[in-house]
Amino acid sequence: NAGVTQTPKFRVLKTGQSMTLLCAQDMNHEYMYWYRQDPGMGLRLIHYSVGEGTTAKGEVPDGYNVSRLKKQNFLLGLESAAPSQTSVYFCASISGGSYNEQFFGPGTRLTVL
Amino acid sequence: DAKTTQPPSMDCAEGRAANLPCNHSTISGNEYVYWYRQIHSQGPQYIIHGLKNNETNEMASLIITEDRKSSTLILPHATLRDTAVYYCIALTNAGGTSYGKLTFGQGTILTVHP
């Protein structure tokens, strides 16, 4: 199993550009999450999904949109990137049962100039 | 979810036990204590979790006080590879309304030195 994978690993955008980050998991997990981590800080939850076709806002959702059209994929979109969105983005997933070990991807480093 | 408090940094000699404390004085009866770590900008890694009883796995031991207001993560024989930021998180199980959402604080930077 590949676990949780993220595409791309690195990206540089100009202010106002758009992009989509892809998260994929091959563990048949129900719940998926997008977090961001700024330098020296802990991770903060952007959006999450508790099943295919569902999404919900986390702690810092502004400026981002998400979609979960397939159970194994969770997409994070930036419609108009801003320098404040420069961060490392982590995706995670769990089975949705009572056991709560979250599996994290390797992260995407995004710089917005 | 209950707020947790951890020391910002700790040091440990290689081969010795690392004891990382966490305070969670407002934890509710259905909240578990989870520990994750993050090694140098990698994705966080699950270590262990517990509710009331002490727990042990291949990575670590978790000691929870009887009143559940604090806990200690123990790495029995720390190695240089254990240098990381360790996060203590309290939350209800994923089957409840928390939906498994993790709230990360600043964590404890553990430095293991030779």
Side-chain angles (χ1 to χ4, degrees):
Chain A
N1 286 352
V4 179
T5 58
Q6 294 183 231
T7 308
K9 289 184 170 54
F10 302 92
R11 186 72 185 268
V12 178
L13 290 178
K14 294 182 180 178
T15 297
Q17 288 185 318
S18 63
M19 77 164 295
T20 300
L21 283 67
L22 170 63
C23 175
Q25 52 91 7
D26 60 1
M27 297 171 283
N28 201 35
H29 284 172
E30 288 292 334
Y31 295 6
M32 296 186 73
Y33 310 84
W34 275 108
Y35 295 89
R36 63 175 286 175
Q37 185 173 33
D38 299 326
M41 306 286 288
L43 282 72
R44 291 183 294 169
L45 182 66
I46 305 171
H47 285 281
Y48 65 101
S49 167
V50 299
E52 182 178 314
T54 74
T55 63
K57 294 180 180 179
E59 180 187 356
V60 288
D62 293 343
Y64 305 94
N65 56 74
V66 287
S67 64
R68 184 106 181 263
L69 298 179
K70 294 183 178 180
K71 186 177 183 178
Q72 64 267 34
N73 295 336
F74 195 27
L75 278 64
L76 178 71
L78 287 73
E79 290 186 346
S80 179
S84 61
Q85 294 178 305
T86 294
S87 191
V88 180
Y89 292 84
F90 290 101
C91 177
S93 70
I94 61 173
S95 65
S98 61
Y99 186 52
N100 197 37
E101 174 185 352
Q102 282 197 22
F103 293 83
F104 283 81
T108 295
R109 289 187 175 276
L110 175 65
T111 301
V112 182
L113 302 176
Chain B
D1 299 327
K3 179 179 169 58
T4 61
T5 304
Q6 301 175 250
S9 64
M10 296 184 65
D11 287 336
C12 179
E14 189 177 20
R16 304 296 293 269
N19 298 299
L20 290 86
C22 179
N23 286 324
H24 31 80
S25 58
T26 61
I27 196 168
S28 61
N30 63 347
E31 285 185 300
Y32 288 68
V33 178
Y34 281 80
W35 284 84
Y36 282 77
R37 73 180 183 183
Q38 187 175 25
I39 298 173
H40 188 54
S41 300
Q42 297 178 17
Q45 175 190 24
Y46 165 85
I47 302 172
I48 198 167
H49 76 286
L51 184 63
K52 290 187 289 189
N53 300 322
N54 299 337
E55 302 288 344
T56 296
N57 62 21
E58 64 278 4
M59 289 182 66
S61 294
L62 175 60
I63 307 298
I64 302 174
T65 58
E66 192 168 342
D67 63 8
R68 301 208 329 120
K69 292 185 177 182
S70 66
S71 60
T72 302
L73 178 75
I74 301 172
L75 307 178
H77 306 287
T79 70
L80 299 179
R81 287 192 298 265
D82 292 320
T83 293
V85 181
Y86 288 77
Y87 297 100
C88 169
I89 300 169
L91 84 162
T92 55
N93 253 350
T97 57
S98 73
Y99 299 116
K101 295 175 289 181
L102 297 176
T103 301
F104 290 83
Q106 297 282 73
T108 296
I109 300 172
L110 175 68
T111 303
V112 180
H113 52 84

